[in-house]
Amino acid sequence: MVGLQEVDGGSLRSRNMNQLVHLASLGDFAFWHQQLNRNLGRFAQHSNGVLSRLEPQGLEDHPLPGPSGRGAILLRFGEGPDALVVVMMHLALGGRARARQLAYIRELIGGYRHQVLMGDMNTHANDLLENSPLRDLGLLAPQVEATFPSWRPQRCLDHILLSPSLALERVDVLPLPISDHLPVAVEIRLPDA
């Protein structure tokens, strides 16, 4: 699964190419979803996106509270409280707005045991795990390498947070400076049950 932030949905900014559709085709992803967050008409179609080889049993778009243009995509694999829930998000720059957004996301995922939260969170992992509405979930932030700016990384702003029920196999910050943020990748193993 791949989560993308600030992907263009087809405008002058991308030479009228829906970047998500293009990447889904190139990577042979059977499932893709675009969340349009800032519609600037033909000038820009700022979006979040998800690419997956598996189709989720549930998918929800959530505009996040605070300044317009921020959103989260929730994907659910399986049924009930033992389902795997994946939330791909792009959070606000300001601490107060980010706290409101994380409280909203906390409400969305509270009933699920297996959680993956990923995206551009615009803050460090310690802030997310110790000083945010997520602090009671026991989430793990396995990656500590800086991701921003991609040409000389100094800040760790992009994360994949995991619930303790998921086994981490591998984590990497990929040296691919094709954006202003470096991508983060993890391999996880689901519980046998």
Side-chain angles (χ1 to χ4, degrees):
M1 175 177 294
V2 178
L4 300 161
Q5 299 85 44
E6 296 184 14
V7 65
D8 194 84
S11 69
L12 291 174
R13 181 176 167 235
S14 62
R15 297 188 181 136
N16 297 312
M17 175 196 311
N18 185 314
Q19 293 174 324
L20 195 63
V21 172
H22 182 68
L23 291 170
S25 175
L26 286 176
D28 197 27
F29 288 95
F31 177 84
W32 61 270
H33 178 74
Q34 176 184 340
Q35 177 190 53
L36 181 59
N37 292 318
R38 283 194 191 116
N39 185 353
L40 303 176
R42 62 189 183 112
F43 297 106
Q45 299 285 305
H46 295 243
S47 304
N48 287 333
V50 175
L51 306 170
S52 178
R53 294 210 184 341
L54 302 172
E55 186 168 349
Q57 281 72 46
L59 181 138
E60 301 170 10
D61 271 342
H62 293 274
L64 293 174
S68 64
R70 302 294 180 168
I73 302 171
L74 183 144
L75 303 117
R76 182 181 40 77
F77 297 90
E79 299 295 335
D82 283 332
L84 171 67
V85 66
V86 177
V87 180
M88 197 292 301
M89 66 194 82
H90 190 185
L91 299 179
L93 295 170
R96 191 172 303 149
R98 199 168 43 247
R100 286 180 42 218
Q101 293 168 347
L102 290 168
Y104 180 86
I105 289 167
R106 172 67 180 87
E107 286 296 312
L108 292 177
I109 64 171
Y112 297 100
R113 197 168 140 236
H114 311 298
Q115 306 155 344
V116 176
L117 305 180
M118 61 185 190
D120 179 354
M121 300 190 193
N122 277 313
T123 192
H124 295 276
N126 286 351
D127 189 42
L128 295 166
L129 301 179
E130 298 170 13
N131 304 316
S132 85
L134 303 178
R135 67 186 164 271
D136 68 320
L137 294 176
L139 296 171
L140 308 172
Q143 161 255 338
V144 294
E145 290 180 58
T147 59
F148 179 83
S150 61
W151 53 90
R152 196 167 135 216
Q154 297 175 11
R155 299 181 69 201
C156 187
L157 304 179
D158 306 275
H159 306 282
I160 302 176
L161 307 177
L162 307 172
S163 61
S165 63
L166 303 172
L168 176 68
E169 297 285 320
R170 189 172 136 198
V171 61
D172 289 303
V173 173
L174 305 175
L176 300 168
I178 57 175
S179 167
D180 60 336
H181 292 248
L182 292 175
V184 178
V186 297
E187 284 182 35
I188 61 171
R189 189 170 13 95
L190 301 175
D192 291 337

